[in-house]
Amino acid sequence: MKQLRPVTITGGKLVTASGVAEGNLRFAEGEIVSLGEQPQDGDAIVDARGALVVPGLVDLGVFDVDKPAFHFGGITRAGLMPDRSPPLDLPSRVRFVAQSGKPDFWVHPFAAATVGLEGQQLAELALMREAGAKAVATGRDWIADSGVMLRLLQYAAMLDLTVVSHAEDGGLAGRAAASAGEMATRLGLPSAPAEAEALAIARDLALAELAGARLHFRQVTTRAGLDLVRAAKARGLKITAGVTPAHFMLSDLALGGYRTFARLSPPLRREEDRLAVVDAIGDGTIDVVSSGHDPRGPEDKNLPFIDAAPGMAGAETLLPMVLTLVRDGVIDMPRAFDLLASAPARLLGVKAGLLESGYEADIALVDPVRPWVVSSAKMTAAAGNTPFDKQPVEGRVTALWKGGVAVEL
Amino acid sequence: MGARAFAHRDLIAIGALERHEILYLLDEAEQWVALNRQAKKHVDLLSGLTIINAFFENSTRTLLSFEIAGKRLGADVVNMHAATSSVKKGETLIDTAVTLNAMRADAIVIRHASSGAVGLIASKVDCPVLNAGDGSHEHPTQALLDALALRYKLRERGMAADDFTGLVVTICGDILHSRVARSNILSLTALGASVRVCAPPALMPAGIEALGAQPFTDFDAALAGADVVMMLRLQNERMDGQFIPSPREYRHLYGLTAERLALAGEDAIVMHPGPMNRGVEIDSNVADLAGRSIITAQVEMGVALRMACLDVLTRRTRGVPGWADGEWV
């Protein structure tokens, strides 16, 4: 579907890299044309009535193409993890899923780094890039073999693809369902030291430096891990880091009562780690906040904690959770949308995620103070496995355009 | 006294109980200790009630103990073994729970290999649920029967206290995987004892201090001055990888030998929840030490304590005056 008629949004507050300012936004033929100019004859006029005008969110590292949930959350593009059944380790599969969201949602597949995501044999990365892969990912697991990881990073660097890594040392993490500490001990859950993350990051950083590769840690959730990333960035390495709202909103106390919606990978951490994540978002160590959207029905979640699958449905709550950081003064509004849209778009190498002329007209109107209550039972997502059930939040997307075409919400 | 003495529908965890509730169950068990020592060990208290023992994990003594307890109280007791159930055919735990519930049991006793599984089933059924061990979480009736056996022994020695104030208890073994250790730490500390836990680092859970126990890796140090030594077996079936080099080496560092026992307080009491691995964590001459080992008394008290739990938890169903209404948690 193509945008048939130019649109000018009036009466909104435009969120750009330089700040939040009242002004008009005009887009035509699927691209942003101008900021701050008056509507032209023949334009469709949309009165934003004071709402924020923001770039559509770019959600880096989701596990399902769940359009209703993405649209609810103002997400117009997502980087799709290769952990599908079967995995995205062949060009044909990549080509297929790359088209699967169009026209009103764009999926950017991550190529599986290794065949079957088994961490042993490199997959056909160049062919998958041709087929539309925008990055390479190790999947839900870390690549244990350092030799394989080095060759992957070297190869991806040659292809100019970012490697997205899961930072948890597999030997240490084992079958753990929780971070070692009082909560896991009280609940009698198999647990692993949170240091499993720093170990994995330290190795991957050393290999990435050796290979000159671009490396993105999809989730960095501990103080020790964040310190390593901070130091690596200071040294000038091409390192980026992400996190999901669960790890800056919740600690492992949320596991109480064996709530399987709080079973995540990596597991929720201690309170001091949660605070370290908040600090790291504030000081720029963390570049990207994504939803990790992974809807899981009762077959996967209505089970004893250890037997339940990790993952949360996060697309609908991504924006309001990040807005809590704005309200708390951790970040300002432009930085919120850098975390949610611009930075992930840069990482994917797509011309989106910014309100700037020539960029894709992926645009959302946001009422940043509209209150609502997260309800597991009433979610738009394919499943209601949110760790934020019954939590009152603020911030809601009121209108959405993908490539200049309005999306029904 | 009424339901306020024990205001819980289920018995899932010692962690959910108040000190007075633990003491209430111990006091209630005493009448059954007396009954069990008679020739005719049967009452009709639970006549007409159905109790299902649903064991999703192998057990001999706990299952038998619950079965005998139910039968001595006059209930119809049915045992369900996971090995012969539809669980093996892929039925989910929730479906199994709903099925058991539809059969209108008046109490369900559950053992399951996953921590939290018994609480999950309890949330799906309408009758009282008793936890007979869930993964590495809790085994509340074991901790209660241990307290009962210990209290009997202390009284036999002329100590009059209801609780364990001032007592030093050393629990040694696979603390990491042990639900018995967790329940006992919570129960013993609630009753006033100081609890030491002793294990090699790999078998010591992180943050155990927060539960009120003092951790040791040196068994000799952990034994110094202890009034009670509770030994636990290595739970090889729960170990993911290698945790100790060998049983022989384990015995060298953590086996309770007669020489080691001499390091503990004078006349220190020896306990073990069973099953024992003689010659590994405990030597035979210690396990069978007359006047000091209460390992068989623990088994005896188990039946009485479980009778008390089944009695108390079914009072509401049976319409016992004072137990019909009130707040249930």
Side-chain angles (χ1 to χ4, degrees), chain B residues 64-322:
Chain B
L64 200 56
S65 182
F66 267 109
E67 183 175 1
I68 292 172
K71 286 182 169 164
R72 286 190 182 164
L73 290 172
D76 297 316
V77 181
V78 186
N79 294 337
M80 190 199 90
H81 303 274
T84 56
S85 77
S86 51
V87 173
K88 293 268 177 202
K89 300 171 195 159
E91 185 175 81
T92 69
L93 190 60
I94 300 289
D95 286 334
T96 308
V98 169
T99 304
L100 293 177
N101 195 46
M103 294 183 186
R104 296 198 164 271
D106 298 292
I108 306 179
V109 180
I110 302 165
R111 167 168 290 192
H112 197 283
S114 294
S115 303
V118 177
L120 180 64
I121 297 176
S123 69
K124 305 290 174 189
V125 302
D126 302 315
C127 68
V129 169
L130 290 89
N131 181 2
D134 64 327
S136 302
H137 175 224
E138 283 229 40
H139 190 353
T141 59
Q142 179 69 45
L144 292 167
L145 74 87
D146 287 339
L148 186 64
L150 184 56
R151 202 166 77 168
Y152 261 82
K153 187 67 189 171
L154 294 173
R155 284 184 179 165
E156 192 185 295
R157 290 183 175 182
M159 286 171 244
D162 273 343
D163 68 3
F164 303 138
T165 303
L167 212 64
V168 176
V169 182
T170 298
I171 305 175
C172 178
D174 183 355
I175 309 293
L176 179 67
H177 298 102
S178 177
R179 53 198 176 207
V180 175
R182 282 173 182 72
S183 288
N184 260 307
I185 291 166
L186 296 169
S187 142
L188 291 166
T189 52
L191 296 179
S194 313
V195 177
R196 300 171 181 172
V197 289
C198 180
L203 295 175
M204 183 73 83
I208 193 75
E209 303 90 339
L211 274 72
Q214 191 188 355
F216 286 80
T217 50
D218 179 347
F219 193 21
D220 293 354
L223 282 171
D227 301 299
V228 180
V229 185
M230 184 183 291
M231 300 305 295
L232 304 172
R233 73 182 174 92
L234 291 170
Q235 303 205 32
N236 294 308
E237 72 278 14
R238 288 188 213 287
M239 291 185 192
D240 181 20
Q242 191 197 19
F243 283 70
I244 52 154
S246 71
R248 186 170 73 160
E249 180 135 321
Y250 182 79
R251 177 182 184 276
H252 176 66
L253 292 174
Y254 298 100
L256 188 62
T257 59
E259 300 75 51
R260 276 236 170 76
L261 183 59
L263 300 172
E266 199 183 339
D267 280 340
I269 294 165
V270 176
M271 303 179 73
H272 195 304
M276 281 186 281
N277 292 307
R278 290 173 182 260
V280 183
E281 76 271 8
I282 190 163
D283 277 10
S284 278
N285 57 357
V286 176
D288 304 331
L289 193 60
R292 305 274 296 275
S293 167
I294 60 168
I295 294 170
T296 51
Q298 288 173 267
V299 180
E300 182 194 358
M301 296 299 162
V303 177
L305 186 278
R306 287 170 178 131
M307 289 169 80
C309 293
L310 290 171
D311 167 24
V312 169
L313 291 177
T314 56
R315 284 179 189 170
R316 188 183 199 190
T317 313
R318 290 183 283 125
V320 174

Side-chain angles (χ1 to χ4, degrees), chain A residues 54-262:
Chain A
V54 304
L57 309 193
V58 181
D59 196 353
L60 201 69
V62 302
F63 291 89
D64 194 18
V65 181
D66 186 2
K67 271 205 260 181
F70 290 138
H71 285 157
F72 182 104
I75 299 162
T76 45
R77 295 167 183 253
L80 179 67
M81 290 293 282
D83 307 72
R84 317 279 296 169
S85 179
L88 301 184
D89 59 358
L90 287 176
S92 55
R93 292 175 190 154
V94 168
R95 188 171 290 113
F96 176 77
V97 295
Q99 302 299 322
S100 64
K102 289 183 177 179
D104 53 353
F105 189 80
W106 280 19
V107 176
H108 299 300
F110 293 175
T114 55
V115 174
L117 287 169
E118 284 169 0
Q120 283 157 14
Q121 196 188 336
L122 292 191
E124 295 170 328
L125 302 182
L127 292 175
M128 287 194 278
R129 185 184 63 169
E130 292 292 305
K134 294 290 186 193
V136 184
T138 65
R140 291 181 193 273
D141 295 313
W142 192 58
I143 290 179
D145 186 322
S146 303
V148 173
M149 187 64 180
L150 176 60
R151 291 190 288 276
L152 167 67
L153 286 161
Q154 289 169 329
Y155 201 72
M158 172 188 77
L159 297 174
D160 199 27
L161 285 169
T162 298
V163 174
V164 178
S165 179
H166 178 85
E168 239 185 332
D169 182 286
L172 208 50
R175 292 184 303 129
S179 306
E182 179 187 346
M183 205 59 199
T185 293
R186 280 190 188 279
L187 295 170
L189 293 174
S191 63
E195 286 70 13
E197 179 175 284
L199 266 179
I201 289 176
R203 186 206 69 173
D204 285 357
L205 285 174
L207 296 177
E209 187 163 17
L210 196 58
R214 278 191 284 136
L215 178 61
H216 176 70
F217 296 106
R218 194 167 62 84
Q219 299 180 82
V220 186
T221 62
T222 63
R223 181 176 298 281
L226 290 162
D227 285 346
L228 290 170
V229 171
R230 197 175 283 120
K233 285 184 163 189
R235 282 210 315 282
L237 266 60
K238 293 177 277 184
I239 301 301
T240 49
V243 77
T244 77
H247 284 97
F248 64 76
M249 296 297 291
L250 303 171
S251 70
D252 61 359
L253 284 177
L255 271 52
Y258 298 97
R259 292 174 55 219
T260 57
F261 288 0

Side-chain angles (χ1 to χ4, degrees), chain B residues 41-57:
Chain B
K41 310 171 186 64
H42 190 93
V43 292
D44 290 326
L45 203 60
L46 305 194
S47 170
L49 301 194
T50 303
I51 297 171
I52 299 179
N53 292 325
F55 277 59
F56 298 89
E57 194 184 55

